[in-house]
Amino acid sequence: MSVSRRQVLLVGGLGALGAIGAMSVPTRSLDAKSISRLPSSEMPRPFQTPLLLAPLLTPDSIGTDPADGAPVHYFTLTQMAASAAILPRLKTPILGYNGVFPGPTISLDQGTRAVLRVRNQLPPTHPSDGHPLTTSTHLHGSASLPQFDGYASDITSPGFRKDYHYPNFQPARTLWYHDHGVHFTAQNAYSGLAAQYHLHDPLERALLPQGRFDVALTISDAMFASNGALGYDDNTHSGLWGDVILVNGRPWPVMKVQKRIYRFRVLNCSISRSLRPTLSTGDPVVVVGTDGGLMPVTQTVANWRHAGAERYEILIDFRKYRTGQRIELRNLSNKNNVDYDFTNKIMAFDVTDEPVDQTDPTWNTIPVQLATDNPVMALDASAARKIRKFRVKRDDATNLWNISGVTWQDVIASGYRKVSADPELDAVEVWEIENSSGGWFHPVHIHLVDFKVLSRNGRTPFAYEKGPKDVVYVGEGETVRLLMKFGPHQGRYMMHCHNLPHEDHDMMVQFRVGLKEDDWDSNDPITAAPASWDG
Ligand code: C2O
Ligand code: CU
Ligand code: CU
């Protein structure tokens, strides 16, 4: 096999691997086909375990917002150390929301607000890595106020809690919540602090499968130490590529399906790995939703490039398959991932002859028109008042990733004042992001907004990304142009690479919406709603 630059780095990065207590440093050749240290008898293999679904979080109580009478659901989540059954026999210590990975799914209707109390009951320091377990919870995909947006430096220490207010006024979509603690987001999310959050609306309910036919798939990758603990090696902050693919926290699981159309909410919550999913039958999938919800029209694709943090909602039509047939969801991978023996597989579907409820019209309907009036997709580039340009790159002298030369360290050093852009409230702008390197891809995420991908290297974007987005895959040698409108909130929000080791070191900046530099910020992300002691 050919030796990629990343594999050379992988071997060069073994020092970092040795820093994790449970892992010993073996000698490995450049064509290593696995990276876990498990004896082969303990190594999981594809298609040996059923798909599990994350539990649904039920509200503690339901009330109304005194300001306007809108319904509010109150939830509590506790971040805690726990043990997970990922491997055939060995237990894996994790950090989880309510002790599970992925954390509980939250499901709400548009117009119902949420108050999420996040209790940090984690140990003071990470059990293997040793960093302090201060956390910040981000609801990725929500236009939340800055003080509830999981601003990296708005931290909640162990023993404290914070109430996050989520407006849920946006169109139906698949969101996810994950840790965003400054400098340790990668380890914390990798250790298990990640989960889905579903927002429904009447259009989406009418068009797409619901309930048990609306299936959340949270995909990640992991590597394991010989005792079953998670290994961590980010190759000197380049990225972590595990040899085990997890879906909803289980290795390469199998799901039984009826002969009908299913909807899957596919979230790649890998901290670095990107995917290119495809079906083993060669049949296409129908993409119906992107990060920001329903696309204007469905797109039929044979495979798609899917970076960390991106969400694609797809329909798979199992009607024509025969009982007992196994259909694999495979991974064709992309440039600059590190692949191992089984990273070309994700999960499998086994077709059953369970009777199909034909009174549910979504069983055999693939819609064509979806959200034809999504506000960001309706925007026209001619409405843009400004074009801003950003470059994502690595500074070889400091070994820090940066956005146009700026790092989160620079933001901290400025007392959180330094901004990389200052759009006015409700301004429409074009942001151009350039990745001139040939050796790295960067999934760039902009908080607060949904955006429309206008072009990639001057050409029309991929079919599957012709919907509202909040993360864009900026591949090797690519320049993307994005169109967005800044609102409805004022204040400071982050923009960063969602390869989380890049984000932590230190590819993250902020922008300020509406306010001038010296204006009083009533939504200061750190001071407006600080964490409180949890007793
Ligand atoms: Cu999913 Cu700022 O992150
Ligand atoms: Cu986000
Ligand atoms: Cu990056």
Side-chain angles (χ1 to χ4, degrees), residues 138-141 149 178 180 445-448 470 496:
H138 174 50
L139 179 57
H140 184 142
D149 194 45
H178 63 82
H180 217 306
H445 172 43
I446 306 174
H447 281 231
L448 177 67
D470 58 39
H496 59 89

Side-chain angles (χ1 to χ4, degrees), residues 122-135:
L122 294 165
T125 57
H126 190 283
S128 55
D129 184 64
H131 67 267
L133 282 175
T134 50
T135 61

